[in-house]
Each structure stands twice: as structure tokens, then as C-alpha cells.
Amino acid sequence: TYARVLDANRKFLQAASKYHDLSTAYLHTDAVDLDDLLNMLGRAITCAILAPSSAQRQRMLGLVYKDERLSQLDALPEFQSHSTLLTAMYKNRLVQKKELERFESSLAPHQKAIMADGLTIVERGVLEHNMVAVSHLYSSIYFDQLGQLLGVVDGEKAEKVAAKMISDGSLRGEID
């Protein structure tokens, strides 16, 4: 399907949207097996989590979070960690390292690619998410403290991520 092509090309937000559309299109018919539709929902959640931080991503997280079938995903082994991570992300809670590791173990090889900054796609996504979550908790914070909260070893890396997100417009703030 086109959703898989988008997923393979790392266009995760568009892939999440297509997967979600597929997961709901045949929901009230017998044309497609319900397990296949649930699998599409799980893929939509995976791609929504992997998408770069943005308002559109937050809307997609909300869309899949409010899906009535979310609780059924825990029955599928490859999606057991998805509802926990989705809930944390949708509610702007900090994502813990153990939640991230459980989710990472379910990813396909192309979703585990290491980016130019040395982080995997999911590590980058969770780092950006946690940056936004921290911004809801703190109005002012030292970079060393921020680095500790984010699970990044040093404040310099936290500063680089914050600066990039502020310049991209995905995080409101200022650095002084």
C-alpha cells in the first residue's frame, strides 16, 4: 500500500494518516479482517510517534489516542508498548528510557536508522517530545538540568536540540 511506501521513505506523518485511514475505512464491513485493521492502527501509532514534533503530529497522536480500539492493541505482541507510549506523548508527559526501549524493540530496521546527529529516529522523536513536555513544566531551566531530564548526558547537546527546535518553530522559548 501507499502507506508502506511513505513509511519506508520516512514520511512518518503522512504514513500515519494513511495507515489510520486504512484502519477505519472497512471497520464496519466484513471486507477486511479486524486483526488486519488493528494492525493498521498499530502502524499508524508507530508512524505518529516517529514523526517529527509538530502541531500536525500532535493532532495525529490525538486521533489515534481517541480510537476506541486502542486498548485492543496490547493483545498483539508487536504493539504491546504502543498504547503506553502514545498516552505519554499525547498527554505531554516525559517518556522514560524503559518505555522507549520497549517501543524500539518493535520497530522495523528502516525505523531504527541512525541520523546525522548520532541519534536514531525514535530517540530524536522522543527527545523532541520530552523537550516540549519539559517546556510545559519549566519556564526557566539550566541546560545541565535539562540534559538530565531529557536523558542526554550533557547540557551542550540539550542546548543544540533546544536551539534547533526554537529556530524550527516547534518550541517556543529563548536562550540566554
Side-chain angles (χ1 to χ4, degrees):
T1 65
Y2 185 55
R4 286 186 187 195
V5 172
L6 291 168
D7 185 357
N9 289 322
R10 299 184 192 150
K11 297 189 183 302
F12 294 117
L13 190 60
Q14 297 96 322
S17 179
K18 293 293 180 192
Y19 279 132
H20 187 264
D21 290 347
L22 288 169
S23 80
T24 58
Y26 300 100
L27 195 55
H28 301 292
T29 68
D30 291 337
V32 180
D33 186 44
L34 290 176
D35 285 342
D36 290 338
L37 295 176
L38 199 55
N39 191 293
M40 291 295 132
L41 176 63
R43 289 174 187 242
I45 292 169
T46 299
C47 289
I49 289 170
L50 294 173
S53 183
S54 67
Q56 295 90 350
R57 175 183 179 250
Q58 194 62 27
R59 280 193 288 279
M60 179 53 65
L61 289 173
L63 189 64
V64 292
Y65 175 78
K66 293 174 183 171
D67 193 298
E68 60 194 28
R69 300 168 295 157
L70 181 62
S71 61
Q72 297 172 24
L73 273 183
D74 291 338
L76 300 177
E78 66 267 33
F79 300 117
Q80 285 180 337
S81 63
H82 284 49
S83 62
T84 304
L85 189 59
L86 174 65
T87 301
M89 291 188 132
Y90 177 68
K91 293 185 175 184
N92 281 318
R93 296 180 185 154
L94 285 173
V95 173
Q96 303 299 316
K97 190 150 184 83
K98 64 180 179 168
E99 293 171 320
L100 174 63
E101 289 169 353
R102 269 187 271 148
F103 177 73
E104 271 187 314
S105 69
S106 71
L107 296 177
H110 74 278
Q111 296 168 332
K112 295 178 182 180
I114 298 174
M115 309 306 287
D117 59 5
L119 298 171
T120 64
I121 295 168
V122 72
E123 287 171 340
R124 160 65 69 192
V126 169
L127 182 62
E128 289 179 356
H129 162 78
N130 281 347
M131 184 74 74
V132 172
V134 167
S135 76
H136 292 293
L137 298 172
Y138 292 88
S139 59
S140 178
I141 189 170
Y142 290 105
F143 285 117
D144 289 335
Q145 291 174 311
L146 180 60
Q148 288 175 343
L149 281 173
L150 297 174
V152 178
V153 177
D154 61 1
E156 192 174 308
K157 186 149 189 143
E159 182 178 3
K160 284 180 184 177
V161 173
K164 182 185 178 303
M165 290 181 70
I166 290 169
S167 69
D168 290 348
S170 55
L171 181 69
R172 287 191 3 214
E174 57 186 57
I175 298 174
D176 58 6

